[in-house]
Amino acid sequence: MNLSQNFTLQELIKSDTAIRKGIDNNPNGDQVEKLKALCENVLQPVRDHFGRVKVTSGYRSEELCEAIGSSKKSQHAKAEAVDFECIGVDNAEVADWVHMNCETDQLILEFYTPGEPNSGWIHCSWIPEGRRASFLHAFKSEGKTKYKPVMGKAKDIL
């Protein structure tokens, strides 16, 4: 099933952990519609601009979220979020482009290390109304994940 011109439902629900543990990771009809909106409003524009997009995590059922140590309340479990990278493009450059060209709920450059273009990944959520338009950098400090607002451009993070 196609969610947009270049993205399929299978890409957005594939999980090696779900397969390995026998977890049902199939979204319901409402969640499929949310995944379509996520693809149309974020992933497809990124694909049209940068080329190949590698989805590393899309929809995750509540059971799968728990299995990987995430929250059942994650936007992934609501079919509102995706983690991705663009092969051969600095993740900060992609995040900056998304920030400037897509209306997002949350945009997080996760675990990116300046000077290491392939480090980390981009987490992006989209909802139809009430978008927070937050742009954050997630990083580890003293063994804990911390979030800092990106002021200006992600490529300028120190």
Side-chain angles (χ1 to χ4, degrees):
M1 164 189 258
N2 284 348
L3 299 174
S4 71
Q5 181 181 348
N6 296 105
F7 291 93
T8 65
L9 179 60
Q10 186 58 37
E11 284 177 89
L12 275 287
I13 66 170
K14 184 180 182 310
S15 166
D16 292 338
T17 301
I19 293 166
R20 191 172 57 253
K21 295 187 175 229
I23 296 170
D24 180 4
N25 198 46
N26 290 300
N28 64 34
D30 289 340
Q31 291 165 328
V32 169
E33 291 305 312
K34 287 182 174 184
L35 291 171
K36 283 181 182 178
L38 182 61
C39 288
E40 290 167 358
N41 289 284
V42 177
L43 290 177
Q44 191 62 51
V46 171
R47 167 71 159 65
D48 292 345
H49 184 78
F50 289 104
R52 184 164 174 241
V53 175
K54 179 182 175 186
V55 174
T56 55
S57 184
Y59 171 76
R60 298 191 298 236
S61 66
E62 289 182 3
E63 185 180 357
L64 179 56
C65 283
E66 286 185 325
I68 64 167
S70 181
S71 169
K72 290 192 318 185
K73 296 180 182 193
S74 163
Q75 283 189 288
H76 287 278
K78 297 175 185 175
E80 298 172 347
V82 63
D83 297 340
F84 67 94
E85 299 178 74
C86 292
I87 307 304
V89 183
D90 188 307
N91 285 323
E93 179 183 340
V94 176
D96 284 334
W97 188 89
V98 171
H99 179 65
M100 297 299 295
N101 294 281
C102 300
E103 293 182 7
T104 62
D105 175 45
Q106 237 186 6
L107 175 60
I108 307 172
L109 183 57
E110 297 202 32
F111 309 108
Y112 175 81
T113 302
E116 295 180 27
N118 295 318
S119 63
W121 61 89
I122 296 158
H123 167 95
C124 190
S125 64
W126 190 89
I127 56 177
E129 296 176 346
R131 289 185 287 274
R132 295 171 279 184
S134 64
F135 187 17
L136 306 168
H137 177 224
F139 58 97
K140 289 278 187 195
S141 178
E142 299 174 4
K144 295 186 178 184
T145 301
K146 308 245 175 160
Y147 296 88
K148 180 179 172 183
V150 174
M151 306 307 264
K153 296 192 177 247
K155 69 178 183 126
D156 298 329
I157 292 172
L158 299 176

